[in-house]
Amino acid sequence: MKVIKLHIIILLVLIIAGCSGAPNSNTNKAEDGYRAWLRYEKVADSELLDQYRSKLSTVTLSGDSPTTEVIFDELQEALPGLLDAEVSIRKQGSSDLIIGTPESSDYIASADFEGSLSGAGDEGFLIEEIEGSVVVAANTDIGLLYGTFELLRKIQTHTDLDGISIESTPKVEYRMLNHWDNLGRLVERGYAGLSIWNWGTLPEYNDPRYTDYARLNASLGLNAVAVNNVNADPRMITDQFLEKLVTIAKALRPYGIKVFISINYQSPITVGGLKTADPLDPGVREWWKKKADEIYSLIPDFGGFLVKADSEGQPGPFAYGRDHAVGANVLAEAVAPHGGIVIWRAFVYSPEQSDRFREAYDEFVPLDGKFNENVILQTKNGPIDFQPREPFSPLFGAMKNTNTMLELQITQEYFGFANHLAYQGTLFEEVLEADTYADGEGSSVGRVIDGEVFDYKHTGMAGVINIGNDRNWTGHPFVQSSWYAFGRLAWDYTLSAEDIADEWVRMTFTNDPAFVDPVREMMMDSREAGVNYRMPLGLTHLYAQGHHYGPAPWTANLPRPDWTAVYYHKADKNGIGFDRTKTGSNAIEQYKEPLRTMFSNVSTTPEKYLLWFHHVSWGHEMQSGRTLWEELVFKYYSGVEAVRNMQKQWQKMEGKIDEARFEYVKALLEIQERDAVRWRNSCVLYFQTFSEKPIPEGYEKPEHDLQYYIDQEQKAYVPDPRYNR
Ligand code: GCW
C-alpha cells in the first residue's frame, strides 16, 4: 500500500513539474491560430537544435525600460519553447547571446562589429556573431526589440546562425495599420469578428489581446496604428474616448507603436459646439489646436490624425469652398508643435466626373507643394479602389513636393472576404516594383514612397487591416499571411513576396519542406487565381453593389453611375473595356513616358491591363493567338482550375499539420471553388450576350443559364453582414 502511494506521489510531482513552465509547454497549446506566426514550437531539425542550444542558452539583455521588459518576456516565451531547454536570461556578464545598446552595455559600446550602428538610426539593428557570441545591437531599445524578433524569425525558419551578419533598417518612417473599426465594434469591411478594441471595457480593462496584437505587429516592425474607421465617428475625439485610447496607447507603447485617430472634419461643430468647421475660421483653428494639446497631454507620443475628407459622403473643407491643402493644413498646424502628423487620404471621386480613374490625380496634382511638411498624402495603390488588379496610381511619381505614402488593403473586401485564400504579398510586390519613371527609369513606387525619388520629409505605408476578435485574428488563417507580408514589406519593400510567403508558412505551420514548398506555391498562385475568376485582362469592379462579395457584372441602374459595373466594363456588341486613351478619357496622360505611349497602344499594353485602357473588339487577336473573347473565357476557366489545383494540393497536406487548421482551410477552399464557379459562369454568360460567340469546345458548360446567376445576386448568402457601415 505504502509503496503504491509513494509511486503516485512521485508521478504527481513529475506531472506538475512537466506543466509548470517547463520548456516544451508550447506544444500543448491548441492550434487555433491565435499565436499566428509567433508559435515558438521546438526546432524539429536536430542538428540546428544543437547549434541553437549551444549559441542561445544563456542570454544577457541589458537595459532597463518597458521595452527591454517586453524583450525579456518575448525571449522567455520563445527560447525555452524553440530550444526545448532551460534558458537563463540575465542583465550583465557574458553570454551566448548578448542584446544591448552602446548606452546600456559596455560590451556593445566597445564591440568590433562588421557593420556599423551609425547607420542604424532609431529603429535599425545589427545581428552578428562576434567571438562565439551572437550579438543583437541597436541604438535604441526599440531597435533591440526588432532585432530580437528578427533573430527569433531566423530560428523559427531554421536558419544556420554560424557567422550570422545582418544589418537592417526600415525603409519608411510610418509603417502603419489602418483599422476601419467603428465605435460600436462593427468593422467596416472586416470579416474576422468584432473590433479588437472593446470600448465598453476601456479604459479600465487592458485586454491581453492588445499586447499580443502589439507583439505580432512589432515582430514585423510595424510602428503605427490608426484605431478607428476613416468614415469617422466624431465621438472619437471626445474626452470619453480619448481616455479609453490612453489604455490602448499604453499597451502598444513598449512595442514602439504609436496611436493615430481618424477624425471627422465636422468635429468642431459636432463635438466642439462651434457654428462652423471652416478651416480658415480663427475659432476653428483655435479649437483644433486646443484639441491637439488636450490629446498630447494624455498621450505624449500620439501620432496624429488620419483624414478621409470630401469622399463618399464624409465631410471636408469643400463645404467652405476650401481645397484639400487648406483643409489639411489647419490640422497639421495643430499637431506640429507636438511632432504629430496629418495623414490626408487621396481617395476622392465625385459622380460628376466622366472617369473615376482620373480624379485623385486631377484633384491633388495642382495642390502639390501646398501642404505643410507634416502632412502625408495617403494614396491607394491603384487609381480606383483596391481591386484584384489595378495599374499603379499615377499619383505616385507626380507629387514632387508633397509627402506621399502608399495605402494597401489587407482585408479582403474584393477578394472573397475571409472565405477565400488570396495571399496578397504578390499584389503588394507588384505595385511596389512598378516603375513610375518619375525621375527616369528605376523610379519604382517603392523608391517614391521611401523618399528616394523626391526626398520626402515623411514617408510611410499603411495597410487596411482585417483583424477582429475572432480567435485566429483574421478569419481565414491565410489572411494572416497578407498582414505578415504587409508588415515585412513596410519594413523593406525590396523583400520578395515569395521569400515572405516561405517564412510565413514555416513560422505559422511547419518547416517540413513537403508542406512548405507546395503551400508556398499555392499562395503564390492564389492572387492571380482570384483575378482570373473575377475580372481578368484588366476588367474591374464587377461586384454586387454594397457588399462586394459576389459577381454582378450586369449592375446598371444606380444613383451613381460610377458605382455600377457597366460603367467599368463598357461591354457592347463591338467589344469590351474602358477607353482611357486620347479617344476616351485620356487618363493615360497622367502617366509619365514611356508608360503613356505604352498604354496608349493596344499592342504594347501588357495584357493584364488591357481592358483598363482600351475598348477592344471581341475578335482582337491576343498574344496567345486566341481572340479576345476566347482569351477571356480561357482566363475565367483557368481561375477556377487554379482553385481546384489549390484544393488538390491542400488535400495532400493532410497529416502534415494539425487537423483543426487543415480541415478549416479545406472547407474554405470548397467555398472558394463554389464561388469561383459562380463568378466565372456569371461573367462568361453575361459577356456572351455581347460577344454573341459560343464558349469554345472543351470547357465544362455552365450549369445554369444567365438568369439563374442574376437571381443569385439576391438569393446567394453573403457570408458576413458586417461589411456594412
Ligand atoms: O473601398 C471602399 C470601401 C469603403 C471604404 C472606402 C475608403 C472606409 O468600399 O467601405 O470606406 O473604400 O477607402 O474610404
Side-chain angles (χ1 to χ4, degrees):
M1 212 27 200
K2 268 196 173 158
V3 178
I4 294 174
K5 266 194 182 162
L6 196 66
H7 275 140
I8 292 175
I9 290 169
I10 290 173
L11 193 70
L12 275 178
V13 169
L14 285 176
I15 290 173
I16 291 166
C19 295
S20 61
N24 209 12
S25 57
N26 271 342
T27 46
N28 298 328
K29 291 182 191 158
E31 292 289 4
D32 56 9
Y34 184 76
R35 291 180 298 164
W37 52 86
L38 298 179
R39 284 167 61 255
Y40 304 138
E41 293 292 316
K42 179 182 172 184
V43 171
D45 179 313
S46 57
E47 252 174 61
L48 278 174
L49 182 62
D50 286 347
Q51 186 198 76
Y52 295 157
R53 282 178 177 160
S54 76
K55 286 186 193 295
L56 306 166
S57 287
T58 58
V59 184
T60 302
L61 166 66
S62 7
D64 194 7
S65 70
T67 299
T68 53
E69 261 171 52
V70 301
I71 298 175
F72 178 89
D73 292 347
E74 201 64 33
L75 291 167
Q76 186 86 331
E77 168 82 15
L79 288 178
L82 288 161
L83 272 50
D84 190 22
E86 299 287 349
V87 171
S88 85
I89 309 176
R90 52 192 168 172
K91 290 211 155 203
Q92 276 170 351
S94 69
S95 284
D96 304 330
L97 170 62
I98 299 170
I99 304 174
T101 64
E103 243 173 58
S104 65
S105 151
D106 292 342
Y107 174 85
I108 301 284
S110 59
D112 193 10
F113 293 108
E114 236 175 72
S116 155
L117 274 180
S118 59
D122 287 346
E123 295 179 302
F125 58 83
L126 298 178
I127 304 177
E128 289 189 17
E129 192 170 43
I130 302 178
E131 292 155 4
S133 292
V134 175
V135 181
V136 177
N139 295 318
T140 63
D141 291 345
I142 289 299
L144 295 182
L145 178 67
Y146 294 149
T148 302
F149 274 119
E150 175 77 22
L151 179 65
L152 293 173
R153 174 163 37 243
K154 293 292 173 213
I155 303 167
Q156 287 174 278
T157 54
H158 290 192
T159 313
D160 187 345
L161 297 184
D162 262 341
I164 186 168
S165 175
I166 297 174
E167 205 173 336
S168 187
T169 48
K171 293 218 185 303
V172 301
E173 183 186 357
Y174 291 98
R175 305 175 300 278
M176 182 173 201
L177 294 180
N178 288 181
H179 286 256
W180 285 356
D181 295 18
N182 295 323
L183 303 189
R185 294 193 78 192
L186 293 187
V187 180
E188 179 151 347
R189 313 303 180 184
Y191 315 102
L194 297 175
S195 169
I196 178 174
W197 317 122
N198 191 345
W199 300 109
T201 57
L202 284 164
E204 288 82 2
Y205 183 50
N206 178 11
D207 191 331
R209 201 174 241 258
Y210 305 151
T211 300
D212 285 327
Y213 166 75
R215 290 175 51 232
L216 288 164
N217 286 334
S219 76
L220 307 171
L222 294 171
N223 65 359
V225 163
V227 296
N228 62 315
N229 192 354
V230 290
N231 292 330
D233 188 323
R235 288 177 300 166
M236 191 62 229
I237 47 172
T238 57
D239 310 351
Q240 204 199 358
F241 277 90
L242 290 175
E243 195 192 339
K244 294 171 190 291
L245 190 62
V246 170
T247 301
I248 297 176
K250 205 168 153 198
L252 306 188
R253 187 170 295 122
Y255 291 90
I257 301 171
K258 285 185 176 180
V259 294
F260 283 69
I261 55 182
S262 300
I263 58 106
N264 182 297
Y265 210 78
Q266 294 284 73
S267 297
I269 302 172
T270 42
V271 176
L274 302 188
K275 291 221 155 43
T276 174
D278 181 352
L280 291 185
D281 180 276
V284 170
R285 289 176 106 107
E286 194 47 36
W287 189 83
W288 280 115
K289 274 209 165 74
K290 284 222 172 88
K291 187 44 87 176
D293 294 347
E294 179 196 341
I295 298 175
Y296 280 94
S297 72
L298 295 167
I299 306 170
D301 56 353
F302 178 68
F305 299 132
L306 170 62
V307 194
K308 171 175 179 177
D310 291 311
S311 161
E312 296 185 334
Q314 292 303 305
F318 286 7
Y320 310 98
R322 317 294 180 201
D323 64 27
H324 285 286
V326 171
N329 290 345
V330 63
L331 302 172
E333 272 170 34
V335 294
H338 308 280
I341 61 161
V342 169
I343 300 180
W344 193 266
R345 296 178 84 233
F347 179 68
V348 296
Y349 60 104
S350 67
E352 287 81 42
Q353 273 261 14
S354 61
D355 183 4
R356 177 171 165 187
F357 187 115
R358 296 192 58 112
E359 295 184 51
Y361 183 104
D362 287 346
E363 188 76 54
F364 284 96
V365 170
L367 300 177
D368 188 23
K370 298 202 172 138
F371 291 89
N372 288 6
E373 62 176 20
N374 63 329
V375 176
I376 312 184
L377 189 65
Q378 179 166 295
T379 303
K380 290 187 183 184
N381 56 285
I384 303 284
D385 185 14
F386 298 139
Q387 295 298 293
R389 169 166 283 123
E390 298 196 30
F392 75 86
S393 163
L395 265 179
F396 296 108
M399 303 299 282
K400 192 167 182 200
N401 299 304
T402 306
N403 308 314
T404 302
M405 66 190 270
L406 169 65
E407 178 175 342
L408 297 165
Q409 196 178 44
I410 299 163
T411 191
Q412 295 185 180
E413 173 179 358
Y414 295 103
F415 268 107
F417 296 5
N419 281 5
H420 293 196
L421 195 162
Y423 169 59
Q424 296 189 73
T426 47
L427 186 160
F428 304 160
E429 180 180 57
E430 186 172 280
V431 59
L432 286 162
E433 283 180 350
D435 200 341
T436 68
Y437 291 89
D439 185 26
E441 195 175 349
S443 310
S444 64
V445 171
R447 290 192 58 237
V448 170
I449 62 151
D450 87 345
E452 271 177 64
V453 173
F454 294 139
D455 196 21
Y456 290 153
K457 169 100 174 144
H458 294 287
T459 58
M461 214 164 121
V464 178
I465 187 68
N466 170 55
I467 67 144
N469 69 351
D470 273 11
R471 183 69 189 157
N472 76 357
W473 303 93
T474 54
H476 197 306
F478 277 75
V479 179
Q480 285 184 5
S481 68
S482 297
W483 175 9
Y484 183 88
F486 169 77
R488 295 285 284 141
L489 288 166
W491 180 272
D492 181 356
Y493 65 83
T494 69
L495 296 176
S496 95
E498 182 157 19
D499 291 347
I500 294 173
D502 191 89
E503 279 175 10
W504 180 80
V505 177
R506 288 169 187 275
M507 294 166 81
T508 307
F509 292 102
T510 166
N511 277 276
D512 177 0
F515 183 87
V516 175
D517 296 343
V519 172
R520 184 192 58 236
E521 275 168 36
M522 274 175 61
M523 289 168 69
M524 291 303 288
D525 294 343
S526 60
R527 181 266 183 144
E528 202 62 35
V531 170
N532 285 338
Y533 63 72
R534 290 189 183 85
M535 36 202 89
L537 299 176
L539 286 174
T540 205
H541 227 310
L542 308 181
Y543 295 92
Q545 172 55 21
H547 56 70
H548 298 163
Y549 186 76
W554 43 76
T555 308
N557 297 313
L558 291 175
R560 284 186 67 156
D562 52 354
W563 285 349
T564 67
V566 297
Y567 171 93
Y568 294 99
H569 63 68
K570 305 218 182 304
D572 57 26
K573 299 273 180 248
N574 301 322
I576 181 168
F578 201 126
D579 182 4
R580 294 194 163 97
T581 67
K582 277 191 187 141
T583 52
S585 74
N586 205 18
I588 56 159
E589 71 176 341
Q590 298 178 339
Y591 288 105
K592 305 266 181 308
E593 287 294 8
L595 298 176
R596 199 182 300 159
T597 304
M598 184 177 94
F599 290 144
S600 68
N601 195 323
V602 174
S603 63
T604 52
T605 302
E607 288 187 348
K608 60 183 176 184
Y609 299 126
L610 186 65
L611 306 179
W612 270 101
F613 296 114
H614 302 279
H615 190 75
V616 183
S617 72
W618 293 110
H620 170 78
E621 188 181 326
M622 304 289 286
Q623 273 154 23
S624 62
R626 298 181 195 99
T627 64
L628 172 63
W629 164 249
E630 290 162 356
E631 187 75 9
L632 199 66
V633 174
F634 169 77
K635 289 282 183 189
Y636 272 111
Y637 276 80
S638 51
V640 170
E641 272 324 294
V643 176
R644 290 180 179 155
N645 282 336
M646 291 203 274
Q647 285 185 288
K648 277 186 212 139
Q649 284 297 356
W650 188 255
Q651 191 54 51
K652 290 187 203 146
M653 298 303 112
E654 186 163 19
K656 297 198 189 325
I657 57 162
D658 55 288
E659 201 184 334
R661 288 185 298 174
F662 172 78
E663 289 296 340
Y664 188 29
V665 172
K666 183 180 162 183
L668 291 171
L669 284 168
E670 275 169 37
I671 297 170
Q672 186 168 358
E673 196 264 352
R674 182 199 65 200
D675 291 343
V677 170
R678 180 155 82 92
W679 264 99
R680 179 196 72 189
N681 292 350
S682 301
C683 295
V684 168
L685 290 172
Y686 169 73
F687 291 130
Q688 191 178 34
T689 63
F690 300 99
S691 80
E692 295 176 333
K693 300 207 182 334
I695 296 173
E697 284 305 306
Y699 293 114
E700 66 190 15
K701 296 285 171 254
E703 234 184 303
H704 307 280
D705 63 7
L706 177 60
Q707 192 55 48
Y708 170 89
Y709 292 104
I710 293 176
D711 293 344
Q712 287 295 298
E713 189 188 338
Q714 299 305 325
K715 283 189 189 157
Y717 173 69
V718 175
D720 191 331
R722 282 169 287 189
Y723 57 81
N724 245 327
R725 294 177 185 187

